[in-house]
């Protein structure tokens, strides 16, 4: 194992252990000063965040953009701390931190026996949301996850994901494993809002031509697996409002490529709608409009 992997790992592990005794309230308390410090002195991808926000909201002045940027850093630090705290949640805390108005809809789709594609985005706290869904539904979720470049950090994050009974499908072997899981009637969680290949299908997102990944749409069409979009929006009291909506594919028209594009456009339309309500909670650090 390369020595350069250890400092980042031990920093995250130290933060995780430091949260155990003082509890979730302490994590929320330190998130604001920590995010302010990073915003001011370690401005990770700050220019990307600002450029993305100006592209998405050209009508906003610099003052409003700046407020969203600061809120974005705060939201991301909160998400990190909440995720590291996952092993220490009580069942009561995990169940009560969110509502789930679409529980019946998800259960209905699951009972069809064709598997369910649970589609979300890098919004709110998608990691915490996956653990919450597991507890509320009583059904484990297989989540597709990109491998971290630091293998020690990758193992640490995966252990937190696995703590509440979900499983992880590493990106790379994903198609085969996701195919198998859906064939077996399982719930598969996908985060599908990152930039796709330059030569691939594009959809509109905040009015911009946006390259997207097509895997989830292709699987939905091939296996006829139902798709349910779920987004977790953090509220001022640190609870989450959950938005659940089925993405219907039966009425789509055209060939498979056109149907794939329509599915992705519906997903990005719904993602944009929720991001407009809570602009500070999406992952603007991702250079989604690179090309």
């Amino acid at each position: 194992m390369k020595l350069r992997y250890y400092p980042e790992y031990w920093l995250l592990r130290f933060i995780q252990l430091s949260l155990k005794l003082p509890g979730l309230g302490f994590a929320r308390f330190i998130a604001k000063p920590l995010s302010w410090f990073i915003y001011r002195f370690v401005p990770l991808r700050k220019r990307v965040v600002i450029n993305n926000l100006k592209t998405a909201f050209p009508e906003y002045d610099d003052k409003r953009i700046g407020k969203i940027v600061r809120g974005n850093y705060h939201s991301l630090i909160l998400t990190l701390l909440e995720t590291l705290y996952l092993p220490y949640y009580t069942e009561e805390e995990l169940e009560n931190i969110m509502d789930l108005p679409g529980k019946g809809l998800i259960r209905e789709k699951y009972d069809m026996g064709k598997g369910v594609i649970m589609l979300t985005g890098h919004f709110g706290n998608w990691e915490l949301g996956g653990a919450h869904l597991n507890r509320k539904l009583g059904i484990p979720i297989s989540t597709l996850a990109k491998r971290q470049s630091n293998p020690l950090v990758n193992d640490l994050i995966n252990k937190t994901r696995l703590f509440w009974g979900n499983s992880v499908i590493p990106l790379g072997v994903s198609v085969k494993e996701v195919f198998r899981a859906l064939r077996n009637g399982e719930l598969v969680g996908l985060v599908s809002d990152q930039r796709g290949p330059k030569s691939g299908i594009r959809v509109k997102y905040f009015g911009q031509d946006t390259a997207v990944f097509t895997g989830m749409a292709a699987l939905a069409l091939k296996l006829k697996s139902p798709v349910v979009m779920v987004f977790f929006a953090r509220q001022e009291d640190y609870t989450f409002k959950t938005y659940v909506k089925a993405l219907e594919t039966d009425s789509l028209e055209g060939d498979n490529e056109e149907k794939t594009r329509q599915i992705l456009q519906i997903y990005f339309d719904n993602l944009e709608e929720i991001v407009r309500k809570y602009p500070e909670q999406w992952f603007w650090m991702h250079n989604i409009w690179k090309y």
Side-chain angles (χ1 to χ4, degrees):
M1 192 70 66
K2 296 179 180 179
L3 289 176
R4 64 184 174 86
Y5 293 144
Y6 285 90
E8 182 184 10
Y9 166 77
W10 281 115
L11 175 61
L12 289 177
R13 186 65 176 138
F14 172 76
I15 293 172
Q16 185 177 50
L17 292 172
S18 298
L19 299 175
K20 184 176 183 179
L21 288 178
L24 190 56
F26 177 69
R28 292 165 177 166
F29 174 76
I30 66 170
K32 201 152 195 174
L34 183 57
S35 63
W36 178 86
F37 177 84
I38 292 173
Y39 171 80
R40 294 289 297 178
F41 300 108
V42 195
L44 296 170
R45 299 182 71 81
K46 186 175 178 180
R47 180 48 52 189
V48 173
V49 175
I50 292 172
N51 288 341
N52 280 340
L53 284 167
K54 287 186 173 182
T55 299
F57 302 102
E59 70 277 17
Y60 289 1
D61 60 22
D62 289 346
K63 183 178 180 180
R64 190 167 183 181
I65 292 292
K67 182 178 180 181
I68 296 174
V69 174
R70 292 189 294 275
N72 192 230
Y73 276 79
H74 183 218
S75 177
L76 291 172
I77 292 299
L78 264 176
T79 296
L80 173 63
L81 296 178
E82 289 166 346
T83 300
L84 290 173
Y85 189 78
L86 263 175
Y88 311 134
Y89 279 93
T90 65
E91 288 204 20
E92 183 179 5
E93 283 176 327
L94 193 57
E95 289 194 11
N96 292 337
I97 202 168
M98 299 183 187
D99 60 348
L100 188 57
K103 180 179 178 180
L105 170 64
I106 299 171
R107 173 63 68 172
E108 175 190 331
K109 300 297 184 184
Y110 177 74
D111 289 343
M112 292 169 62
K114 296 181 179 180
V116 181
I117 297 173
M118 303 286 293
L119 198 56
T120 189
H122 291 91
F123 173 84
N125 192 330
W126 57 97
E127 301 283 3
L128 183 56
H132 172 79
L133 287 174
N134 179 307
R135 307 313 298 169
K136 281 288 190 181
L137 296 169
I139 305 169
I141 302 171
S142 300
T143 57
L144 183 65
K146 182 179 179 180
R147 294 179 189 271
Q148 302 294 315
S149 58
N150 184 329
L152 294 174
V153 171
N154 187 74
D155 289 346
L156 176 63
I157 297 298
N158 279 343
K159 283 179 182 178
T160 66
R161 290 169 172 152
L162 297 171
F163 187 84
W164 289 98
N166 290 333
S167 59
V168 175
I169 300 174
L171 198 64
V173 299
S174 55
V175 174
K176 182 179 179 180
E177 288 299 308
V178 170
F179 191 90
R180 178 201 58 78
L182 291 172
R183 280 290 197 196
N184 290 340
E186 299 176 19
L187 297 180
V188 176
L190 301 179
V191 183
S192 299
D193 56 352
Q194 296 217 306
R195 184 183 67 247
K198 188 174 184 179
S199 59
I201 288 177
R202 293 179 180 248
V203 299
K204 291 292 185 182
Y205 185 48
F206 285 92
Q208 307 298 311
D209 283 332
T210 305
V212 294
F213 285 106
T214 60
M216 72 87 180
L219 283 168
L221 290 172
K222 184 175 181 62
L223 298 177
K224 300 190 183 302
S225 297
V227 181
V228 178
M229 297 174 288
V230 187
F231 302 109
F232 311 95
R234 187 183 290 105
Q235 306 298 297
E236 290 187 4
D237 63 356
Y238 299 103
T239 61
F240 289 79
K241 185 174 182 179
T242 309
Y243 294 81
V244 182
K245 186 177 181 181
L247 196 163
E248 302 296 346
T249 60
D250 292 342
S251 61
L252 300 179
E253 298 180 351
D255 59 19
N256 267 4
E257 182 174 336
E258 176 57 22
K259 288 180 179 179
T260 296
R261 191 199 64 77
Q262 290 176 50
I263 290 172
L264 292 163
Q265 186 63 69
I266 293 169
Y267 163 66
F268 273 90
D269 285 346
N270 280 270
L271 176 63
E272 179 178 334
E273 183 179 349
I274 195 73
V275 172
R276 284 187 178 275
K277 289 180 181 178
Y278 307 92
E280 71 286 350
Q281 294 192 38
W282 192 61
F283 191 63
W284 295 105
M285 288 186 182
H286 176 56
N287 194 5
I288 193 167
W289 294 306
K290 183 177 180 179
Y291 44 71

